[in-house]
Amino acid sequence: YEQAAKMGNLASIVKVGVCYRDGKCVAKNTEEAEEWLKFSARIGSVEGMYEYAVFLEEVDLHIEEAIKWYEKVNKADKVDENRRAEVMRRLGKCYKICFAEIATLQNATDTLKHAIDLGDTEAKRQLGICYEYGEGVDQNLVTAANLYQQAADENNAKAMVNLASCYENGHGVTQDLNKSVELLERAVALGDSDAMVKLASWYEQGKAGLSRNEIKILDLLNEADKRGCVEATYKLGLMYIYDAGLFGASSRGLRLVKLAANKGSIEAIGTLADYYKNEAKDDDKSKRLLNTKRCLEQGDAFYQLAYKCEHDDKNLEEAFDLYGKAIDQYSEAERFYSNVFKAETEEQMLDGRF
């Protein structure tokens, strides 16, 4: 691809950028991906515009800029209907994130409806979330459940998890725990890590008539952990720790809890603080971990307040100030945590949370 790209083949230029972005055939390289994809977009490749927008949305996290490129793709001629549906769904999702500055939530829901008309399954789930929480539309749990059902019928695993929650809590449907289990099992079969963690917790609690099954729980959490689920990593670590007796008896369990802590799990950080205080007898590390936990919790609290000010109160000045306070707390958490494992290079930072 790269040889053809250097000779000016437009399709190859896009493919090279996608390879670097997604780590296909080569190691992921953000700078290379941006260079190739931005170039393809700027010289007029519609596919390049789309893939560059995906880069901006998912890698660079520059949502406003991603919206501009998605809108250019949507306005282009000769766009495949499946691609247009994908663009509309992604636009709706981006509008929901940035609506206070760029669009209203009504724009988001209208865009999602358009994507649904074009056949996009994930748009049904996203619109279901809007109806479940009253974002841009009047809250309607029945409509939300219906949309989740439609997406689940089209094998959308995340929609199955959403619908399972509806049946668990009786939101928009008659409460039915057996139906909830059935949906979670379907989602697990499709590889959804959230469903794996949820079903594992149900086996652990003996919920919905399920018998506690240690092997089943471990299998589910192991699979979710392999798929990068931080909650699964933490819970798996706890299982190995408690199965072995105490922290010191399970190096694998402690390693997994550390990995979850590295990804920003507040629960895992608290567990490590207890370990260093009570088992390792290292008060300095314990205190630094507790300070990390405190800063993360305060950062989350500021973030929630900022989100409310931005989206509910429409007070952007106050929201900006609160977002700044959240960032300060997260930076403090990073500082405390980096000093806990300063001699262990692979554990010097919270590399997955922010």
Side-chain angles (χ1 to χ4, degrees), residues 67 70-71 74 87-95 111:
I67 287 174
Y70 283 136
E71 288 177 338
N74 189 45
V87 168
M88 295 303 292
R89 192 258 298 169
R90 285 183 175 272
L91 262 177
K93 184 179 177 182
C94 290
Y95 282 150
T111 304

Side-chain angles (χ1 to χ4, degrees), residues 77-131:
D77 296 327
K78 298 180 181 179
V79 178
D80 177 80
E81 284 301 292
N82 290 332
R83 174 65 80 216
R84 194 179 298 281
E86 171 75 6
V87 168
M88 295 303 292
R89 192 258 298 169
R90 285 183 175 272
L91 262 177
K93 184 179 177 182
C94 290
Y95 282 150
K96 285 175 67 178
I97 295 171
C98 295
F99 77 91
E101 297 179 10
I102 298 175
T104 65
L105 274 177
Q106 186 63 53
N107 291 135
T109 54
D110 287 347
T111 304
L112 288 170
K113 288 174 183 177
H114 189 183
I116 290 171
D117 290 339
L118 292 170
D120 190 272
T121 299
E122 174 62 14
K124 294 177 182 177
R125 187 180 82 88
Q126 292 291 335
L127 188 59
I129 293 172
C130 292
Y131 276 105

Side-chain angles (χ1 to χ4, degrees), residues 193-194 197-198 201 221 224-225 228-237 260 263 265 267:
S193 58
D194 290 334
V197 172
K198 182 83 169 179
S201 72
L221 292 179
D225 173 54
C229 178
V230 177
E231 186 179 358
T233 304
Y234 173 60
K235 289 188 173 183
L236 195 58
K263 295 295 183 180
S265 167
E267 288 182 303

Side-chain angles (χ1 to χ4, degrees), residues 239-256:
M239 285 196 71
Y240 282 118
I241 288 166
Y242 291 133
D243 184 57
L246 292 173
F247 271 101
S250 176
S251 59
R252 183 178 183 185
L254 181 58
R255 180 180 64 81
L256 288 167

